[in-house]
Amino acid sequence: MESIQHELIIKMILDAWLTSVKRTDDLLNSLSDEKLLEEIAPARNNGVYLLGHLVAIHDRMMTLLGFGKPLYPELFEPFVNKPYQKHIVTPSISDLKEYWKKVNSTLEHCFNETTSQQWFQKHTSVSEEDFVNEPHRNKLNIIISRTNHLEYHRGQLILLKNKL
Amino acid sequence: MESIQHELIIKMILDAWLTSVKRTDDLLNSLSDEKLLEEIAPARNNGVYLLGHLVAIHDRMMTLLGFGKPLYPELFEPFVNKPYQKHIVTPSISDLKEYWKKVNSTLEHCFNETTSQQWFQKHTSVSEEDFVNEPHRNKLNIIISRTNHLEYHRGQLILLKNKL
């Protein structure tokens, strides 16, 4: 009974991630490049910055989850360490959209290769010592927190839709 | 091993909910009534509507999770069934803030009374027949999806902070 529930609960968490990614895909597909260049609210992040930010944070999950190297490490500086600035030089919007798809599909492939027991292993930014007392700092928890992060920004990106 | 992980994973999901509620609490405490009356972006929901919406959706979890009756069922019509309208008659902001705290503390109390096995029972909007084939439609999944819902709107409410 518990073993079945174990698999089920991992699937529930991964499904929530995939649903959130899919909803963001659909939203991004509905937004023109012109829309993505607009700010979500006056003097706030624009759509391109949020897209780059999401790609960079998802890409960093490759390292955090021990899957391998990030695909586009150069995005971390302009889209995570630095705040949004107008007229910043970035990859083209079509490149960013392609990176978004590539990073998420690579993660999904790695998720499918991960066993139940591996999900309970520590993620790479916690030490072995700390993990003994903080076993919740495992790989699965990264999925929970990054799904929440994605929903937070999806709630912002949607403001670009039907914007006045 | 699996039994320990079982408890751990339920705790991870509940902790993510509590963290998101706490962050929203802190945000709401930092926003004046005047700020909450502002729209998050031009012609979009204002802070009061989003607050009422979150109270109504969280309150409805009482029924969904089989904990009991909602405390403020009258909020569902103006804040969920109906979209945001200017000049709508609603409870006062201080009342809504009190309802927000009351609903979340009542839910937390009920969470603490719920056993691991109860979290895997069906929620009340799925039939016994459907639940046989869709065992993920359990109470725990409501927590995952409502945490994501809260983060989505928290990403919008934060736009009221330091708004130009």
Side-chain angles (χ1 to χ4, degrees):
Chain A
M1 183 69 169
E2 283 202 333
S3 179
I4 293 168
Q5 287 176 351
H6 212 65
E7 298 293 327
L8 182 66
I9 201 168
I10 292 170
K11 182 176 164 10
M12 280 158 51
I13 290 170
L14 295 176
D15 280 353
W17 163 268
L18 293 172
T19 298
S20 186
V21 168
K22 174 71 169 63
R23 287 179 179 163
T24 311
D25 273 344
D26 292 346
L27 175 57
L28 289 169
N29 289 336
S30 76
L31 296 171
S32 65
D33 287 5
E34 291 69 34
K35 275 283 175 200
L36 283 170
L37 284 166
E38 289 182 26
E39 295 174 345
I40 55 164
R44 297 291 175 155
N45 294 331
N46 72 359
V48 177
Y49 181 84
L50 288 177
L51 172 57
H53 178 72
L54 289 171
V55 175
I57 292 292
H58 289 195
D59 199 22
R60 183 58 64 104
M61 290 167 68
M62 292 295 293
T63 325
L64 260 178
L65 296 169
F67 291 155
K69 290 188 177 170
L71 305 174
Y72 313 105
E74 68 278 11
L75 299 182
F76 205 80
E77 184 60 21
F79 290 111
V80 180
N81 286 341
K82 286 198 177 152
Y84 164 61
Q85 319 168 29
K86 290 175 190 174
H87 314 301
I88 192 174
V89 178
T90 67
S92 70
I93 296 178
S94 65
D95 279 351
L96 278 179
K97 283 185 163 181
E98 196 187 305
Y99 300 169
W100 164 254
K101 286 184 193 306
K102 180 73 180 166
V103 165
N104 291 323
S105 63
T106 305
L107 284 171
E108 188 176 349
H109 174 79
C110 294
F111 292 174
N112 291 336
E113 304 286 308
T114 303
T115 65
S116 297
Q117 286 313 308
Q118 283 171 331
W119 282 117
F120 287 94
Q121 292 169 357
K122 76 178 193 65
H123 59 69
T124 62
S125 73
V126 59
S127 69
E128 295 282 3
E129 295 73 39
D130 289 345
F131 189 59
V132 173
N133 297 316
E134 300 171 300
H136 62 279
R137 298 177 73 179
N138 54 45
K139 293 180 181 181
L140 200 52
N141 218 12
I142 297 289
I143 309 299
I144 295 174
S145 66
R146 290 309 178 278
T147 305
N148 289 337
H149 176 264
L150 177 53
E151 284 297 296
Y152 179 95
H153 289 301
R154 191 171 69 84
Q156 298 175 334
L157 271 172
I158 203 139
L159 298 174
L160 294 173
K161 212 169 171 178
N162 308 321
K163 191 164 171 276
L164 286 187
Chain B
M1 183 68 170
E2 280 200 335
S3 180
I4 294 169
Q5 286 175 352
H6 213 64
E7 298 292 328
L8 182 67
I9 201 168
I10 291 171
K11 182 175 164 13
M12 279 157 52
I13 290 170
L14 295 176
D15 280 353
W17 163 269
L18 293 172
T19 297
S20 186
V21 168
K22 173 71 169 64
R23 286 178 179 165
T24 311
D25 273 344
D26 292 345
L27 175 57
L28 289 169
N29 288 336
S30 76
L31 295 171
S32 65
D33 288 5
E34 291 68 36
K35 276 284 173 198
L36 283 169
L37 285 165
E38 289 182 26
E39 295 175 343
I40 55 164
R44 296 293 176 153
N45 295 331
N46 72 0
V48 176
Y49 181 84
L50 288 177
L51 172 57
H53 178 73
L54 289 172
V55 175
I57 293 290
H58 289 196
D59 199 22
R60 183 59 63 105
M61 290 167 68
M62 291 295 294
T63 324
L64 261 179
L65 296 170
F67 291 155
K69 291 189 176 168
L71 304 175
Y72 313 104
E74 69 278 10
L75 298 183
F76 205 80
E77 184 61 23
F79 290 111
V80 180
N81 286 341
K82 287 198 177 149
Y84 164 61
Q85 318 167 30
K86 291 176 189 175
H87 313 301
I88 193 174
V89 178
T90 66
S92 70
I93 297 178
S94 65
D95 278 353
L96 277 179
K97 282 185 164 182
E98 197 187 303
Y99 299 168
W100 164 254
K101 285 185 194 304
K102 181 72 180 163
V103 165
N104 291 324
S105 63
T106 305
L107 283 171
E108 189 177 348
H109 174 78
C110 295
F111 293 173
N112 290 336
E113 304 285 309
T114 303
T115 65
S116 297
Q117 285 314 307
Q118 284 171 331
W119 282 116
F120 288 94
Q121 292 169 358
K122 76 178 193 65
H123 58 70
T124 62
S125 73
V126 59
S127 70
E128 295 281 2
E129 295 74 38
D130 289 346
F131 190 60
V132 173
N133 297 316
E134 300 170 300
H136 63 278
R137 297 176 72 181
N138 53 43
K139 294 180 181 183
L140 201 53
N141 218 12
I142 296 288
I143 308 299
I144 295 174
S145 66
R146 292 308 178 278
T147 305
N148 289 336
H149 176 264
L150 177 54
E151 285 296 297
Y152 179 94
H153 289 302
R154 192 171 68 84
Q156 298 174 333
L157 271 172
I158 203 141
L159 298 174
L160 294 174
K161 212 170 170 177
N162 308 321
K163 192 164 170 275
L164 285 187

